[in-house]
Amino acid sequence: MPYEKTHTPGTRKLIKDFPFACRKAIPENPFLREMLISFGHSGYVELFEIEDKTTVTILAIRYQREADYH
């Protein structure tokens, strides 16, 4: 899925300006985060890692209704 289809200017700004505002993916790693992206009746979950003060790496984007989504 193209990045542009799941990211509005608001979601890009949130990751850029406030990456720690997104929920922790796992409690043991405060730099691994998830952001919920609304889309229709469901949405997507973006997994990303905060590398440093200016770098965030997107690791995965998953549809919330996938069979193995937990």
Side-chain angles (χ1 to χ4, degrees):
M1 164 180 317
Y3 179 81
E4 293 79 23
K5 287 191 177 182
T6 59
H7 285 80
T8 64
T11 59
R12 285 190 293 264
K13 184 167 176 49
L14 178 66
I15 290 176
K16 179 182 176 225
D17 295 342
F18 306 104
F20 285 101
C22 298
R23 72 180 184 191
K24 292 180 187 177
I26 55 173
E28 299 81 30
N29 185 347
F31 299 102
L32 196 60
R33 298 285 173 146
E34 291 180 328
M35 181 174 63
L36 301 176
I37 303 167
S38 296
F39 188 79
H41 294 290
S42 186
Y44 295 89
V45 177
E46 177 178 275
L47 177 66
F48 65 93
E49 185 170 16
I50 303 167
E51 302 286 341
D52 58 39
K53 195 171 186 175
T54 60
T55 308
V56 172
T57 302
I58 298 170
L59 304 173
I61 299 175
R62 300 186 58 189
Y63 186 56
Q64 288 180 323
R65 293 191 178 197
E66 286 183 24
D68 61 344
Y69 177 79
H70 301 282

